[in-house]
Amino acid sequence: MSEIAVRCEGLVKTFSDTGALNGLSLDVVKGEILALIGPSGCGKTTLLRLITGVAKPDAGSIEVGGRVMVSPERFVPPEFRRVGMVFQNYALFPHLSVAANIAYGLHGADKDDQVAAMLQLVGLSGYADRMPNELSGGEQQRVALARAMGPRPDVLLLDEPFSNLDSGQRVHVRNEVRAILRMSGATAIFVTHHQEEALFMGDRIAVQHQGSIQQVGNPGDVFGNPATRFVATFMGETDFLPGEVTAEGVQTEIGLLQSTHPVNVGDQVEVAVRADDVRIAPDPTSGAIVLTREYRGMVNVYRVRLPSGRFIHSLQRHTVRIAPATPVRVLMDPGHELACFINSN
Ligand code: ATP
């Protein structure tokens, strides 16, 4: 069985009338990168603060590296937790050199060797004497990573570490950071708002909503087989089409669709349809009409009105050009299974 590096059970944290965490439970496996994703205000930072020990939960327990850090009987202060933290603003000491920043949390006679090893790990061997203001954003983030990893924590927490980087740098730095974490075998919880970043960075993804975890799984599972309507909405551009379950599949206004979820014949359901799964083709006999085309560079997203008046989106390569007001046939790849949710209306 996989060794658990961090175990959170039943965490509750309330600020005056706001329930930031509502009985959240989560396991992080040793050596994995767990990407924690959720909308603003869902309690991601609160969870990290409880794991580091700078805040106390109202209820619940936390274990790190097999040691109980928080329980009704016990509270281990942050300095004894072996938890490393990388912040979005890097939080480097501006008056200390790169080497001094990394040496800050290190001890022992071989401190200089440890600093040199960390500099090499993050690819900044020639930068020991530079000051933070002489580094690019991406380089500063790598120093912050080296400083947090130096003391060999049981778990490294990264709170939106790439937010201050522009989109080009962001892709470059996240590749580097993932490779560094992989190489060192670190266990990490990586918080992000961006689904693409979560899918790329995470060995597993945990989707948080309103103070609890809705789904944990590998990226393909969470994206392809969302457990809840919220996860389906949050991961990907999703429309929901009503349908009725028949023996052959779910009958919807765009045809018969197959469900990944267990449903019963006769159930009224909503099928989660992703824009990238929807194809459209001009067809003068169709009652579906292209309303708008949103240009996004490599792709266009078409907003289509179905005969029922509902809307559906279709993501197409930039080479597909269909003018607004064109009647189109709406197609799904045959055999492709989609998430279905019981319609509560
Ligand atoms: P974001 O992605 O925007 O950083 P988040 O998911 O990290 O959000 P948290 O910062 O954990 O969310 O906040 C969760 C909820 O708790 C929010 O409603 C927030 O306003 C509230 N909250 C957080 N810290 C405090 C505090 N110190 N005092 C009062 N309310 C707080």
Side-chain angles (χ1 to χ4, degrees), residues 15 18 20 39-46 160 193:
F15 297 104
T18 308
S40 184
C42 74
K44 302 180 297 292
T45 300
T46 302
E160 308 222 22
H193 273 102

Side-chain angles (χ1 to χ4, degrees), residues 85-96 101 104 132 137 140-141 143-145 147-148 161 164:
M85 184 85 196
V86 178
F87 300 93
Q88 74 180 57
N89 61 358
Y90 323 130
L92 297 177
F93 302 116
H95 58 290
L96 296 183
N101 261 282
Y104 188 77
Q140 289 182 51
Q141 194 51 284
V143 176
L145 189 62
R147 187 180 60 182
N164 286 351

Side-chain angles (χ1 to χ4, degrees), residues 201-212:
M201 288 295 292
D203 297 312
R204 289 193 309 151
I205 294 180
V207 184
Q208 187 168 336
H209 182 45
Q210 294 180 340
S212 61

Side-chain angles (χ1 to χ4, degrees), residues 22-26 35-39 42 47 205-217 221-222 225-235 261 341:
N22 300 312
L24 181 144
S25 297
L26 179 67
L36 181 64
I37 185 166
C42 74
L47 175 61
I205 294 180
V207 184
Q208 187 168 336
H209 182 45
Q210 294 180 340
S212 61
I213 301 294
Q214 297 244 322
Q215 186 172 6
V216 187
D221 252 5
V222 173
N225 193 10
T228 66
R229 202 178 193 282
F230 171 78
V231 176
T233 312
F234 194 68
M235 302 295 289
H261 290 192
F341 303 96

